[in-house]
Amino acid sequence: MSAKTKFPVGVEAIAAKGWLSAHKWLIARRLSQTLFLAIFLVGPWFGWRIVDGTLAGSRTLNILPLTDPFVALQGIVAGHWPELTALIGALIVLAAYALIGGRMYCSWVCPINPVTDTAHWLHEKLDIPKGWQPKRHTRLWLLAMVLIVSALTGTIAWEVVNPITILHRGLVFGMGAAWGVVIAVFLFDLVVARRGWCGHLCPVGAFYGLVRAKPLLRVSAPNRAACDDCMDCFAVCPENHVITPALRGKGNDTPLILARDCTNCGRCIDVCSVDVFTFTHRFNDRLSVSNSDAANKAA
Amino acid sequence: MPSPSPMSPARRRFLTDTARMAGGCAVAGLGLAYLTTDARALPAEALRPPGALPESEFLAACIRCGLCVRDCPYDTLKLAELGFDGPATGTPFFTAREIACEMCEDIPCVAACPTGALDKSLTNIDDAKMGTTVLVDQENCLNFLGLRCDVCYRVCPVIDEAITLEVRHNDRSGHHAIFAPTLFADRCTGCGICEKSCVLPEAAIKVLPIRLARATSAEHYRKGWEERAEKGGPVLEGIIDLPDRLPGPGTDNLVAPGGYEPAFKFPGASQ
Ligand code: SF4
Ligand code: SF4
Ligand code: SF4
Ligand code: SF4
Ligand code: SF4
């Protein structure tokens, strides 16, 4: 990471493209996260009942039911077959994320993401060692563990500790000691394990990672020939192992980032000073012109 | 056939990794299971909304969305706040003494529930069983002291069925009556309005969860008088009813002044 030692992450992108376009997807994401919170909050705050309920289950404009499919699944293994309303809600959510890529939930909706992003930002600022780094697939083990505990105890087990719904429900219905849970996640990511929660442990993220039949929306690296090895994308990406196959692909290897862990956050697009990455659909695996020339020459 | 070779390093690493993961998850799982069972201890003063499934099923069904809370027009229901309220975090409940359930005819809380944690088979709010009221302290109840408070009786939405006033002699004054609030669990919905309205600083009448408020009759007990009425005669053939020789008025001893004729007569009984 020689270049990284030269410049802090993102400085070249800001110099090349200006601050705004070096942050546009980050800003879009923060707006989206705020929006998803706000539509729930304007009900209790101003009496505009657009969306009632919480992220676990909601009702939009008094008609559209949405249910968190992971919560519904825990209920089912715990022994309760939910009524049609909740089932339809869960299927709608599943279908939507199967289309766009499940982990878009993480970077565009989940209220814990700003918390762990902030922890990571501070982590970099303070230059704290990365600490405990369990394997990425630990979260799949935890996901299985949650389902087993739900089945054995006959309860929706993860909801007892789930920081996502505890925070979201807290904001909408009353915090209680919910701040404690949020601070715990923040401190865990800051001092115990870099990107520990969202990157390695959260079973909700793991679940949404599995919800991806053929996600249409993908990040691609069509312009990978222009990559100057600054490594900034690897530094900002919360799941940076997903970048390598696309960016370092040879010849006609697809430039699409197809790994299920990619959260479609778009930070790699923002932070790249030479615009290697772009959002596209999954059928567009074209390389940009200069790139295919290089590929042809190599062939 | 290759002879069984010592484990390759990769395979060994895979196995240790897997064992470590499984071990870690087992520990985490035990912790989580402990927390979920801990959350099952519903405090006695927390009542579930109308139509709620029994607590053990409720925790498998309720996704803690809060739609029941939002649709309750009286703000009766709340979602349990982590660390502050007793019920499992995020589940809906109410405290009768704060805001009781007004027993809405259209039961909006049940209608709102997307999962069936509040059971849609409850269509008549009078059939709700949120708990059962118990007159927990006769010594302080004003009616039992001989006054005519009657508030719990008057406010009860199922007046004269869930609560009646039983008139009896006031032995203390000698010439007054006591109008004793008397409760019928079969008809009580557990709405909590009586508890909410009790005029004492701490209510003498309280709605308790049914598991605390009610005894269960032993399975082999049979109520002879019910079976007799059903059969229209003695349950056992050829039974001889000996006359009860009880002293004093108010018994079936016809010889004593105030004795009364028994309602049911055994065929062939001498009296
Ligand atoms: S990994 Fe979990 S906590 Fe992190 S953003 Fe995704 S769902 Fe939210
Ligand atoms: S590859 Fe890009 S879009 Fe995907 S998670 Fe990493 S930074 Fe976000
Ligand atoms: S019956 Fe009416 S008052 Fe009672 S909990 Fe339901 S919505 Fe609230
Ligand atoms: S509406 Fe149903 S699932 Fe939602 S909080 Fe109330 S009881 Fe639970
Ligand atoms: S809780 Fe009290 S007011 Fe409500 S039905 Fe029962 S006796 Fe009546």
Coordinates of all heavy atoms in Angstrom, one line a residue, chain B residues 64-95:
Chain B
R64 N -42.7 -7.4 17.1 CA -42.3 -6.2 17.8 C -42.4 -5.0 16.9 O -41.5 -4.1 16.9 CB -41.0 -6.3 18.5 CG -40.9 -7.5 19.4 CD -39.6 -8.1 19.6 NE -39.7 -9.4 20.3 CZ -38.9 -9.8 21.3 NH1 -38.0 -9.0 21.7 NH2 -39.1 -10.9 21.8
C65 N -43.4 -4.9 16.0 CA -43.5 -3.9 15.1 C -44.2 -2.6 15.6 O -43.9 -1.5 15.1 CB -44.2 -4.4 13.8 SG -46.0 -4.8 14.2
G66 N -45.0 -2.8 16.6 CA -45.6 -1.7 17.2 C -46.9 -1.2 16.5 O -47.5 -0.1 16.8
L67 N -47.4 -1.9 15.5 CA -48.6 -1.5 14.8 C -49.8 -1.5 15.7 O -50.7 -0.7 15.6 CB -48.8 -2.4 13.6 CG -47.8 -2.1 12.4 CD1 -48.0 -3.1 11.3 CD2 -47.9 -0.7 11.9
C68 N -49.9 -2.5 16.6 CA -51.0 -2.5 17.6 C -50.9 -1.2 18.5 O -52.0 -0.6 18.8 CB -50.9 -3.7 18.5 SG -49.3 -4.0 19.3
V69 N -49.7 -0.8 18.9 CA -49.6 0.4 19.7 C -50.1 1.6 18.9 O -50.8 2.4 19.5 CB -48.1 0.5 20.1 CG1 -47.9 1.8 20.8 CG2 -47.6 -0.7 20.9
R70 N -49.6 1.7 17.7 CA -50.0 2.9 16.9 C -51.5 3.0 16.7 O -52.1 4.0 16.6 CB -49.4 2.8 15.5 CG -48.0 3.3 15.4 CD -47.9 4.8 15.5 NE -46.5 5.2 15.7 CZ -46.0 5.5 16.8 NH1 -46.7 5.4 17.9 NH2 -44.7 5.8 16.9
D71 N -52.2 1.8 16.6 CA -53.6 1.9 16.2 C -54.5 1.9 17.5 O -55.7 2.0 17.3 CB -54.0 0.7 15.3 CG -53.5 0.9 13.9 OD1 -52.9 2.0 13.7 OD2 -53.9 0.2 13.0
C72 N -53.9 1.9 18.7 CA -54.8 1.9 19.9 C -55.2 3.4 20.1 O -54.3 4.2 20.3 CB -54.0 1.4 21.1 SG -54.9 1.7 22.6
P73 N -56.5 3.7 20.0 CA -56.9 5.1 20.0 C -56.7 5.7 21.4 O -56.8 6.9 21.5 CB -58.4 5.1 19.6 CG -58.8 3.7 19.8 CD -57.6 2.8 19.7
Y74 N -56.5 4.9 22.4 CA -56.4 5.5 23.8 C -55.0 5.5 24.3 O -54.8 5.7 25.5 CB -57.3 4.7 24.7 CG -58.8 4.7 24.3 CD1 -59.4 3.7 23.6 CD2 -59.5 5.9 24.6 CE1 -60.7 3.8 23.2 CE2 -60.9 5.9 24.2 CZ -61.4 4.9 23.5 OH -62.7 5.0 23.1
D75 N -54.1 5.2 23.4 CA -52.6 5.1 23.9 C -52.4 4.2 25.0 O -51.6 4.4 25.9 CB -52.1 6.5 24.2 CG -51.9 7.4 22.9 OD1 -51.9 6.8 21.9 OD2 -51.9 8.6 23.1
T76 N -53.3 3.2 25.1 CA -53.1 2.2 26.2 C -51.8 1.4 26.1 O -51.1 1.3 27.0 CB -54.3 1.2 26.1 OG1 -55.5 1.9 26.2 CG2 -54.2 0.2 27.2
L77 N -51.6 1.0 24.9 CA -50.4 0.0 24.7 C -49.1 0.8 24.5 O -49.1 1.9 24.0 CB -50.7 -0.8 23.4 CG -52.0 -1.6 23.4 CD1 -52.1 -2.3 22.1 CD2 -52.0 -2.6 24.6
K78 N -48.0 0.2 25.0 CA -46.7 0.7 24.7 C -45.8 -0.5 24.3 O -46.1 -1.6 24.6 CB -46.0 1.4 25.9 CG -46.8 1.7 27.1 CD -46.0 2.7 27.9 CE -45.1 2.0 28.9 NZ -44.0 2.9 29.5
L79 N -44.7 -0.2 23.7 CA -43.7 -1.2 23.5 C -42.7 -1.1 24.6 O -42.3 0.0 25.0 CB -43.0 -1.0 22.1 CG -43.8 -1.2 20.8 CD1 -42.9 -1.1 19.6 CD2 -44.5 -2.6 20.8
A80 N -42.3 -2.3 25.1 CA -41.4 -2.3 26.3 C -40.1 -1.7 25.9 O -39.5 -2.1 24.9 CB -41.2 -3.7 26.8
E81 N -39.6 -0.7 26.6 CA -38.3 -0.1 26.4 C -37.2 -0.9 27.1 O -37.4 -1.3 28.2 CB -38.3 1.3 26.8 CG -39.2 2.2 26.0 CD -39.2 3.7 26.4 OE1 -38.2 4.1 27.0 OE2 -40.1 4.4 26.1
L82 N -36.2 -1.1 26.3 CA -35.1 -1.9 26.8 C -34.6 -1.4 28.2 O -34.3 -0.2 28.4 CB -33.9 -1.8 25.8 CG -32.7 -2.7 26.1 CD1 -33.0 -4.1 26.0 CD2 -31.5 -2.3 25.3
G83 N -34.5 -2.3 29.2 CA -34.0 -1.9 30.4 C -35.0 -1.2 31.4 O -34.8 -1.2 32.6
F84 N -36.0 -0.5 30.8 CA -36.9 0.3 31.7 C -38.2 -0.5 32.0 O -38.7 -0.4 33.1 CB -37.3 1.6 31.0 CG -36.1 2.6 30.9 CD1 -34.8 2.2 31.2 CD2 -36.4 3.9 30.6 CE1 -33.8 3.1 31.1 CE2 -35.3 4.8 30.5 CZ -34.0 4.4 30.8
D85 N -38.7 -1.2 31.0 CA -39.9 -1.9 31.2 C -39.7 -3.4 31.4 O -38.7 -3.9 30.8 CB -40.9 -1.7 30.1 CG -41.2 -0.2 29.9 OD1 -41.6 0.4 30.9 OD2 -41.2 0.3 28.8
G86 N -40.5 -4.1 32.1 CA -40.3 -5.5 32.4 C -40.4 -6.5 31.3 O -39.6 -7.4 31.1
P87 N -41.4 -6.3 30.4 CA -41.6 -7.4 29.4 C -40.5 -7.4 28.4 O -39.7 -6.5 28.3 CB -42.9 -6.9 28.7 CG -43.6 -6.0 29.6 CD -42.5 -5.3 30.4
A88 N -40.4 -8.5 27.6 CA -39.3 -8.7 26.6 C -39.2 -7.4 25.8 O -40.3 -6.9 25.4 CB -39.7 -9.9 25.8
T89 N -38.0 -7.0 25.5 CA -37.8 -5.7 24.9 C -38.6 -5.6 23.6 O -38.5 -6.5 22.7 CB -36.3 -5.4 24.7 OG1 -36.2 -4.1 24.1 CG2 -35.6 -6.4 23.9
G90 N -39.3 -4.5 23.4 CA -40.0 -4.2 22.2 C -41.4 -4.8 22.1 O -42.1 -4.6 21.1
T91 N -41.8 -5.6 23.1 CA -43.1 -6.3 22.9 C -44.2 -5.4 23.5 O -43.9 -4.6 24.5 CB -43.2 -7.6 23.7 OG1 -42.7 -7.5 25.0 CG2 -42.3 -8.6 23.0
P92 N -45.4 -5.4 23.0 CA -46.5 -4.5 23.5 C -47.1 -5.0 24.8 O -47.3 -6.2 25.0 CB -47.5 -4.6 22.3 CG -47.4 -6.0 21.8 CD -45.9 -6.3 21.9
F93 N -47.4 -4.0 25.6 CA -48.1 -4.3 26.9 C -48.8 -3.1 27.4 O -48.6 -2.0 26.8 CB -47.1 -4.8 27.9 CG -46.2 -3.7 28.5 CD1 -46.4 -3.2 29.8 CD2 -45.2 -3.1 27.8 CE1 -45.7 -2.2 30.3 CE2 -44.5 -2.0 28.3 CZ -44.7 -1.6 29.5
F94 N -49.6 -3.2 28.5 CA -50.1 -2.1 29.1 C -50.1 -2.3 30.6 O -50.1 -3.4 31.1 CB -51.5 -1.6 28.6 CG -52.6 -2.6 28.9 CD1 -53.5 -2.3 29.9 CD2 -52.8 -3.7 28.1 CE1 -54.6 -3.1 30.2 CE2 -53.9 -4.5 28.4 CZ -54.8 -4.2 29.5
T95 N -50.2 -1.2 31.3 CA -50.3 -1.2 32.8 C -51.6 -0.6 33.2 O -51.9 0.6 32.9 CB -49.1 -0.4 33.4 OG1 -47.9 -0.7 32.8 CG2 -49.0 -0.6 34.9

